[in-house]
Amino acid sequence: MNKRTDEEGRPIRAVAMMSGGLDSTLAAVHIARMGIEVHGVRFSTGFSPVAGLLKAGKDRPPPLAEGGESDPRALKVGTGVEISFRLIDISTDFIRDVLTSPRYGLGQEMNPCIDCHIFMLRRTRPVMEEVGAHFVFTGEVLSQRPMSQNKQALNIVEEQSGLKGLLLRPLSARHLDPTIPEERGWVDRNELLNIRGRSRKTQIELADRYGISDYPQPAGGCLLTDPVFSKRLKELIDHTADEEKLTPEDMNLLKVGRHFRLPSGIKVVVGRNDAENRYLEGLNLERWSLQVMDHGSPITLVDTSADDDDLNTAAALTARYSQGWEEKEVRVILIRKETEREISVEPLQPGEANSWMI
Ligand code: SF4
């Protein structure tokens, strides 16, 4: 394909904000096929699910250093198109600046999609400047999501992101006002698409045409749209005095296990299987870690501020989910940093902890 150039003969470059889903992949391929050099960015908010990975017996993907950025990597998409993209960790800032105080509200669950788009696009602008790109584009589709992708929301995102006129939505562009890239002839509006609404039919046809077969299901990649995760998150925020102190590790803890809030307010998380136990052990937390001795046992994590009564209750809860749950008494080992203790407890009986379950 011929490289497209601007009025001064410079190759036209664009930054693609990619979510990893089909729409943003299609948008990137569509723009790249026009002869435009595409530089992808993908943001890690820390809200990707881990259940599928754990089920498949895989470890979690190695986390990016907090606030860090990966080297550009090549993404082969479909036939003959390769897009370079970098992954940028925004997990800590995302909790502080987006999650706990979304200006434009939440979707059906705890998903602050409008604020999230604004935040990510603001972070995209420096990349645009760094690579000397002419504009930024996304895979947003008009009216695909009632709250975050209606016309008003798209306009708010464009205004607030600091990319007025420079934000192209190639999949729906012909339903939207022309942008600077179209007015300046960097892209031909006639080659842009007019997809609108919730149906995925056109995208699936386009994916077939571009030879893209391996793509995730829509909205499967963000736990903030998941009702169970959202319930746990809301409960955590409600029990946290200073929400801004919440960390990505706190969010990771919400992704697995059975969650309990003891009457004292202490949080207890009990692993449900080997994979979850390994995951909990791997979390770099300062919490107490409990395990029943002499029987198959879950790993249980308990808030650092737990007192002896809380630890006894958490130990009995751990015992209830261990293979020693029918014993009169079991031994439980409690570890926190350099401290190690052993106590004996009577396992709680099924149903006894139901009212603490989150
Ligand atoms: S679904 Fe999650 S990642 Fe996507 S825009 Fe909404 S909050 Fe952001």
Side-chain angles (χ1 to χ4, degrees):
M1 73 199 79
N2 291 331
K3 291 262 179 234
R4 205 178 275 236
T5 52
D6 64 12
E7 306 85 333
E8 290 157 19
R10 285 191 313 134
I12 301 201
R13 292 199 183 113
V15 175
M17 192 171 92
M18 303 181 73
S19 66
L22 176 61
D23 291 346
S24 61
T25 306
L26 279 177
V29 175
H30 194 72
I31 290 290
R33 284 168 62 102
M34 291 178 182
I36 292 171
E37 195 178 303
V38 174
H39 296 253
V41 280
R42 190 166 167 194
F43 293 101
S44 168
T45 60
F47 290 98
S48 300
V50 292
L53 281 174
L54 297 182
K55 211 165 165 183
K58 293 186 188 147
D59 289 331
R60 279 173 291 165
L64 213 53
E66 206 172 291
E69 185 174 319
S70 75
D71 290 333
R73 30 186 104 169
L75 178 68
K76 285 209 171 67
V77 252
T79 37
V81 178
E82 190 170 292
I83 290 165
S84 78
F85 79 104
R86 60 178 94 177
L87 190 61
I88 302 175
D89 177 275
I90 52 170
S91 52
T92 303
D93 294 349
F94 186 87
I95 294 169
R96 192 194 54 225
D97 298 341
V98 182
L99 189 64
T100 54
S101 52
R103 180 169 166 197
Y104 296 100
L106 299 171
Q108 264 187 336
E109 301 299 336
M110 287 294 281
N111 48 314
C113 293
I114 296 179
D115 292 84
C116 175
H117 279 163
I118 293 170
F119 187 72
M120 289 180 179
L121 284 164
R122 282 188 187 154
R123 292 294 183 96
T124 304
R125 173 129 209 163
V127 179
M128 175 180 142
E129 281 157 12
E130 182 198 317
V131 301
H134 293 66
F135 63 96
V136 171
F137 67 95
T138 69
E140 288 162 298
V141 169
L142 180 63
S143 305
Q144 187 179 75
R145 299 206 182 138
M147 179 197 158
S148 62
Q149 293 184 16
N150 60 55
K151 217 167 200 166
Q152 192 194 7
L154 294 184
N155 287 339
I156 290 173
V157 169
E158 184 183 347
E159 291 272 350
Q160 298 295 319
S161 64
L163 289 166
K164 183 93 181 108
L166 293 172
L167 179 57
L168 184 69
R169 277 91 172 207
L171 301 187
S172 291
R174 278 165 41 211
H175 288 301
L176 304 171
D177 292 340
T179 56
I180 292 170
E182 293 154 88
E183 286 166 353
R184 301 270 296 262
W186 300 334
V187 293
D188 182 350
R189 187 169 169 88
N190 294 323
E191 291 178 45
L192 297 171
L193 301 168
N194 59 354
I195 306 175
R196 165 183 214 148
R198 298 176 73 87
S199 164
R200 316 276 298 164
K201 198 166 157 261
T202 314
Q203 287 96 311
I204 289 166
E205 282 168 6
L206 207 54
D208 279 348
R209 189 150 30 106
Y210 290 163
I212 302 169
S213 54
D214 184 20
Y215 49 86
Q217 290 309 304
C222 178
L223 283 170
L224 295 172
T225 61
D226 177 281
V228 174
F229 183 88
S230 292
K231 186 175 169 209
R232 290 178 174 183
L233 174 59
K234 186 166 182 334
E235 196 274 349
L236 178 67
I237 291 175
D238 289 346
H239 283 83
T240 303
D242 185 356
E243 301 161 5
E244 293 195 356
K245 292 220 169 91
L246 290 170
T247 65
E249 286 297 292
D250 294 324
M251 302 302 138
N252 281 334
L253 191 55
L254 298 177
K255 295 178 184 177
V256 302
R258 297 178 181 88
H259 287 236
F260 301 89
R261 181 77 60 187
L262 302 187
S264 62
I266 290 295
K267 177 83 178 282
V268 178
V269 180
V270 184
R272 287 177 294 198
N273 51 48
D274 283 350
E276 288 194 350
N277 288 340
R278 278 200 305 276
Y279 177 94
L280 291 173
E281 275 181 314
L283 281 181
N284 181 21
L285 298 168
E286 301 203 331
R287 292 173 168 82
W288 285 97
S289 166
L290 277 55
Q291 189 171 1
V292 174
M293 301 167 78
D294 313 318
H295 299 280
S297 169
I299 296 288
T300 295
L301 297 185
V302 184
D303 280 351
T304 49
S305 51
D307 64 17
D308 285 352
D309 281 347
D310 296 322
L311 289 172
N312 271 314
T313 309
L317 192 54
T318 309
R320 180 260 175 270
Y321 289 104
S322 77
Q323 285 170 2
W325 69 276
E326 288 177 305
E327 302 289 331
K328 270 209 115 22
E329 199 171 74
V330 296
R331 293 186 301 148
V332 179
I333 184 159
L334 298 80
I335 301 173
R336 181 170 176 244
K337 294 203 237 170
E338 309 304 313
T339 310
E340 192 169 318
R341 282 159 55 183
E342 187 190 309
I343 56 174
S344 292
V345 292
E346 185 186 339
L348 288 179
Q349 289 310 295
E352 271 191 273
N354 282 2
S355 62
W356 304 336
M357 205 170 238
I358 300 165

